[in-house]
Amino acid sequence: MPNFSSLEQQPPSSGERATLISQHAAVATRGAEGVGQLVAGMVRAQRPPSPQRLDELARLEAAAVLAANVPPVPSVTPGLAGASAEKRGTVDAGHAAPVADADQAAALAADAREKLASIHNAPHNAGAPNGVN
Amino acid sequence: MLKRLLGIVMPGDPQARRAEMYREIIRGFARMGGTLFGPVPEGTRREFFCLDEHTWVWHEEWTDTNGLRHARTTRYDIRPHGIFKAQDGQPYQPIGLEEAQRLHTAAYRYSQQVQAAAAQAAA
């Protein structure tokens, strides 16, 4: 019959214990870093955008507005663009209101900037819940 | 299955012994984690520990003024899109910035303590 008691009496190895503590330290460190990254993301999401960022967003939005209003350009390279591009070239002009005027584009950008500013200054987004910004 | 059976029959099995040692290490660090926010009140048992890379656990037991014993376990899951907590079998819910910052402080201090203990054990 095997002698199990001799196995049970094996003293815990201090080297093994040190290895396990080190292993747990590595797990805890990665875990704490993971929490830190998410918290940093949450802080960034709560921070109101800078004026430069607002301008950038306004430009992007204005460009999107312009792109939505410019009628599709008929394909000049049917071999590359294929039938779908040619079809897009036949869109009813009544649905497209091209914005060719620079003043109009500037006005659209200003409008977009104003809308964005009002969104970002809304009370629900004014700052951190504890009032510390 | 055979390994599990052998683990019961032979507590001296190196793998089972190693797993038990790891659990015992975590229990020790959990008690340490409970003291990270100041002294634990008399009659209160507080534990905080890292279960794995994506899970932190807070456990507290206390006695109220009527002598009733209470226990609460809070589990924080760190997911790619946010931190979620579940308390005593309730469904998971996302936590706010303030709680996330407190969790981060606790997790950071915990990891510092465990690293110090690892350096000490290796010396």
Side-chain angles (χ1 to χ4, degrees):
Chain A
M1 181 160 177
N3 183 6
F4 291 132
S5 60
S6 66
L7 289 167
E8 287 171 28
Q9 283 165 8
Q10 279 179 355
S13 147
S14 62
E16 198 175 6
R17 188 178 166 78
T19 305
L20 290 171
I21 292 175
S22 169
Q23 191 182 314
H24 185 59
V27 169
T29 303
R30 285 197 301 273
E33 282 170 2
V35 177
Q37 281 165 11
L38 282 168
V39 170
M42 288 168 89
V43 170
R44 274 197 302 273
Q46 291 231 343
R47 193 180 295 154
S50 65
Q52 289 83 5
R53 179 70 182 143
L54 271 179
D55 275 352
E56 190 187 335
L57 289 170
R59 273 198 300 276
L60 288 171
E61 191 159 318
V65 169
L66 285 169
N69 282 311
V70 171
V73 179
S75 172
V76 290
T77 53
L80 285 172
S84 62
E86 285 172 88
K87 194 180 172 188
R88 274 191 281 126
T90 62
V91 168
D92 179 7
H95 291 148
V99 183
D101 187 277
D103 288 342
Q104 198 179 347
L108 276 169
D111 184 47
R113 192 179 293 121
E114 199 176 307
K115 276 182 194 160
L116 279 166
S118 67
I119 290 165
H120 291 298
N121 290 330
H124 71 274
N125 213 3
N130 59 7
V132 179
N133 281 317
Chain B
M1 184 65 183
L2 183 63
K3 273 185 184 174
R4 197 176 291 175
L5 277 172
L6 285 173
I8 295 164
V9 177
M10 288 198 303
D13 167 54
Q15 212 174 341
R17 203 163 53 87
R18 199 178 154 86
E20 179 51 42
M21 198 189 288
Y22 189 68
R23 280 195 292 272
E24 185 235 314
I25 286 168
I26 290 187
R27 276 195 290 268
F29 282 126
R31 282 192 294 276
M32 175 281 297
T35 65
L36 287 173
F37 309 95
V40 180
E42 185 83 24
T44 296
R45 179 180 160 206
R46 184 185 290 159
E47 292 179 344
F48 175 72
F49 62 98
C50 176
L51 183 65
D52 60 47
E53 202 176 323
H54 308 287
T55 316
W56 293 84
V57 178
W58 172 282
H59 178 80
E60 188 146 335
E61 289 174 28
W62 72 99
T63 307
D64 68 15
T65 47
N66 298 320
L68 284 173
R69 193 78 180 151
H70 298 272
R72 179 178 292 157
T73 302
T74 307
R75 182 187 161 119
Y76 292 96
D77 269 25
I78 314 306
R79 301 180 189 170
H81 51 289
I83 304 172
F84 293 75
K85 79 169 175 183
Q87 246 171 2
D88 300 326
Q90 296 295 309
Y92 276 97
Q93 53 182 0
I95 64 170
L97 178 61
E98 207 178 329
E99 189 171 359
Q101 283 173 327
R102 285 201 301 268
L103 174 66
H104 180 229
T105 304
Y108 177 74
R109 287 186 188 165
Y110 179 93
S111 69
Q112 293 286 300
Q113 294 277 344
V114 179
Q115 277 176 34
Q120 204 176 355

